[in-house]
Amino acid sequence: MSKTQRKSVTLAETSHGYEFGGPFGALAASLGLPLVCYLPAFLCNDVSGCPVPSALNPKSLTLAKLREETGWPTDGIRGLGNFKVTGVLLAYFAFSLVLQTVLPGEETQGVTLRSGGRLQYKFNAFSSAVTVLLIAMVGTILQGPDFALWTFIYDNYVQLLTANIGIAVVLSIFVYVRSFSVRAGNPQMRELAAGGHTGSIVYDFFIGRELNPRIDLPFFGTLDIKAFCELRPGMLGWILLDLAFVAHQYKTNGYISDSIILVTAFQALYVLDALYMETAILTTMDITTDGFGFMLAFGDLVWVPFTYSLQARYLAMYPVNLGIGGIIGVLAVQGFGYYIFRSANNEKNRFRNDPNDPKIAHLKYMETASGGKLIISGWWGTARHINYLGDLIMSWSYCLPTGVAGYVIQRNSPLSSKTEAVQGDARGWGMIVTYFYIIYFVILLVHRASRDEQKCIRKYGKDWVEYKKKVPSVLVPGIY
């Protein structure tokens, strides 16, 4: 390829500068986020408590004591991983790929790319998830809480975390190296992401160089790596982790608490809703704007399943009974959040697909110079990212069932092997773990809203400035 052609590849996807603190922020996130996932796995456990006692009495802290309280592997760092566990996890990924290939699905095209083409997609994540969950249900009916899937997940939690991190790293390296083979005018419509080719190896590896990396596989055909990871292994993995924790609670205590039922049901609803509405991802920033690098690979395969399921994991070790009043209160919060989330997203999706749809024909909008239409009434007239508000309210309902969290594991007597979890001095300190989700989600959605704003100002220019005057609120109508 000539120098002129090589240059055209770069010019076609002009970089819009650094995000996430640039190379330093990308490096910190790449190294720090895996550590954040390991911390609750060890510091909140069924060995000594949540948090571990030494965290509440730092003066008594010793390395030997910390190892004992955290259940650190006897063989050290090597014990964080396991080849058999990694093999089983890879089989799960392969099975997900088989289901995507053999099950019928909705064939559709993505948004128009900068090159002018549109990629073809096949969506059947919902039916794939239902298939897996039906298999799990049959196994549970036959074997109860001792079903091999549930015991395997619970007993190998840390090793599964490590294996997922490893897969995310390998996948990120693969797509980063392969992105340098992108050429102008290629028939596969491969493109570089606008923000992913800054020239900084660390930053581009993190943010993702190639927009929609795809590979051709025997039998499976063309695999869109980003779309596959977005809603399949990790999102379903989140629910499988929750269900494994439910099984463990029943196995250990002989009953299933109302709190863990609510958390698992809420999160299953969220995931299955996302899978059922899978085609909606085609207009999200993850698909249309961000390249596929460590940020998305780690987020999809590690962060989502292992940090989003922390509440269920806590409740598996320390059951909380809410009672009728508590159940009604939590249901009200969840119902209100889901109503905003789903109503707003349905309104937007219907408008995008058919502005003349009778259900949304009453909406007012302003036309932009780029040919787009911006809704200025209905849900989207109340705030520019109103769907995020629903997300935030729902995230609160995931945390509330854990109550004022924290517990310590005590032996019934010095000579007894039986233990009991009591709150004691740990009461309240466990909320650092169980309410981490909503704290993170506030930061995530405020930051994402900011990124959305920057993307829209680049796309719509002065029209976006005018739109902000008509819809001044960002997330919370009249407040923010």
Side-chain angles (χ1 to χ4, degrees):
M1 186 170 71
S2 68
K3 291 182 179 180
T4 302
Q5 287 175 307
R6 287 194 180 96
K7 187 177 180 181
S8 70
V9 174
T10 303
L11 291 178
E13 303 95 6
T14 304
S15 175
H16 52 64
Y18 289 135
E19 297 178 290
F20 300 97
F24 177 78
L27 179 62
S30 298
L31 298 177
L33 290 179
L35 178 62
V36 171
C37 291
Y38 278 116
L39 286 176
F42 286 105
L43 297 181
C44 181
N45 59 56
D46 55 5
V47 176
S48 62
C50 180
V52 296
S54 292
L56 302 178
N57 300 284
K59 290 183 178 180
S60 65
L61 178 65
T62 64
L63 187 59
K65 191 174 183 180
L66 189 61
R67 286 176 176 170
E68 179 184 354
E69 291 180 349
T70 58
W72 185 256
T74 55
D75 52 350
I77 292 179
R78 291 177 57 186
L80 297 179
N82 181 285
F83 286 114
K84 178 182 177 181
V85 172
T86 303
V88 172
L89 181 63
L90 289 173
Y92 164 67
F93 275 69
F95 186 56
S96 297
L97 188 55
V98 169
L99 292 177
Q100 178 180 271
T101 304
V102 302
L103 293 180
E106 181 180 352
E107 301 279 349
T108 188
Q109 290 185 321
V111 299
T112 303
L113 301 170
R114 285 184 300 272
S115 61
R118 299 176 69 185
L119 295 173
Q120 189 73 20
Y121 292 87
K122 176 185 177 182
F123 290 126
N124 59 9
F126 182 79
S127 58
S128 298
V130 169
T131 300
V132 173
L133 293 174
L134 284 174
I135 293 173
M137 183 182 72
V138 172
T140 305
I141 291 173
L142 295 175
Q143 299 181 353
D146 291 317
F147 178 45
L149 176 61
W150 309 138
T151 57
F152 179 84
I153 290 174
Y154 193 87
D155 294 343
N156 297 284
Y157 178 79
V158 170
Q159 291 74 25
L160 284 168
L161 170 59
T162 302
N164 274 277
I165 292 173
I167 291 173
V169 170
V170 171
L171 202 54
S172 303
I173 293 173
F174 172 74
V175 295
Y176 175 78
V177 172
R178 189 170 177 271
S179 70
F180 288 93
S181 65
V182 174
R183 297 291 182 263
N186 65 84
Q188 294 82 21
M189 294 183 285
R190 297 176 64 194
E191 293 184 358
L192 298 182
H197 55 100
T198 65
S200 167
I201 295 175
V202 172
Y203 182 81
D204 293 348
F205 168 81
F206 174 77
I207 205 73
R209 288 191 87 248
E210 188 169 353
L211 184 62
N212 298 296
R214 293 183 162 204
I215 54 174
D216 292 322
L217 299 172
F219 175 72
F220 300 109
T222 300
L223 170 66
D224 188 299
I225 298 174
K226 182 163 66 169
F228 177 79
C229 291
E230 186 77 7
L231 289 180
R232 285 177 181 270
M235 289 287 275
L236 179 57
W238 174 12
I239 301 308
L240 292 176
L241 282 168
D242 279 358
L243 292 173
F245 298 142
V246 172
H248 180 78
Q249 187 192 80
Y250 181 78
K251 182 178 179 179
T252 304
N253 300 281
Y255 69 94
I256 301 174
S257 67
D258 50 19
S259 55
I260 202 170
I261 290 174
L262 286 181
V263 168
T264 304
F266 292 165
Q267 295 182 349
L269 171 66
Y270 184 86
V271 170
L272 293 175
D273 176 88
L275 300 184
Y276 187 77
M277 304 294 292
E278 187 180 12
T279 55
I281 69 170
L282 293 178
T283 56
T284 63
M285 180 180 286
D286 285 359
I287 299 296
T288 64
T289 307
D290 292 333
F292 186 77
F294 184 75
M295 179 181 73
L296 285 182
F298 180 85
D300 292 340
L301 305 181
V302 183
W303 190 262
V304 167
F306 288 93
T307 64
Y308 288 18
S309 60
L310 286 176
Q311 298 86 12
R313 181 171 179 267
Y314 172 86
L315 292 170
M317 298 181 286
Y318 186 79
V320 173
N321 295 302
L322 300 174
I324 297 299
I327 292 173
I328 293 173
V330 173
L331 282 173
V333 173
Q334 164 69 10
F336 182 53
Y338 184 75
Y339 172 68
I340 295 174
F341 173 79
R342 180 44 51 211
S343 298
N345 280 323
N346 281 347
E347 185 179 87
K348 178 180 66 176
N349 291 332
R350 287 193 180 104
F351 185 81
R352 281 177 170 171
N353 293 328
D354 181 12
N356 297 315
D357 186 325
K359 293 182 179 180
I360 48 88
H362 63 282
L363 293 177
K364 297 178 182 179
Y365 60 87
M366 59 174 281
E367 297 197 31
T368 66
S370 64
K373 297 177 180 178
L374 300 173
I375 306 173
I376 57 174
S377 68
W379 281 109
W380 297 91
T382 62
R384 299 194 295 277
H385 306 282
I386 188 64
N387 57 328
Y388 291 170
L389 176 61
D391 243 342
L392 285 176
I393 295 173
M394 284 192 293
S395 71
W396 187 30
S397 74
Y398 302 163
C399 304
L400 284 174
T402 63
V404 183
Y407 63 87
V408 292
I409 302 294
Q410 295 181 343
R411 292 190 180 279
N412 292 340
S413 69
L415 301 177
S416 174
S417 61
K418 294 184 178 181
T419 59
E420 180 183 10
V422 297
Q423 290 208 287
D425 293 338
R427 188 173 189 270
W429 290 102
M431 295 173 72
I432 297 172
V433 173
T434 62
Y435 285 77
F436 171 80
Y437 180 77
I438 188 171
I439 295 171
Y440 154 75
F441 226 55
V442 169
I443 297 171
L444 169 73
L445 294 182
V446 169
H447 180 260
R448 175 163 288 212
S450 175
R451 293 186 71 210
D452 285 342
E453 294 283 318
Q454 293 301 316
K455 182 190 75 170
C456 289
I457 196 68
R458 288 193 299 269
K459 181 178 180 180
Y460 298 114
K462 294 180 180 180
D463 287 327
W464 188 254
V465 176
E466 184 63 27
Y467 171 68
K468 289 170 66 175
K469 294 178 182 177
K470 297 178 182 295
V471 186
S473 297
V474 179
L475 268 172
V476 185
I479 299 176
Y480 169 71

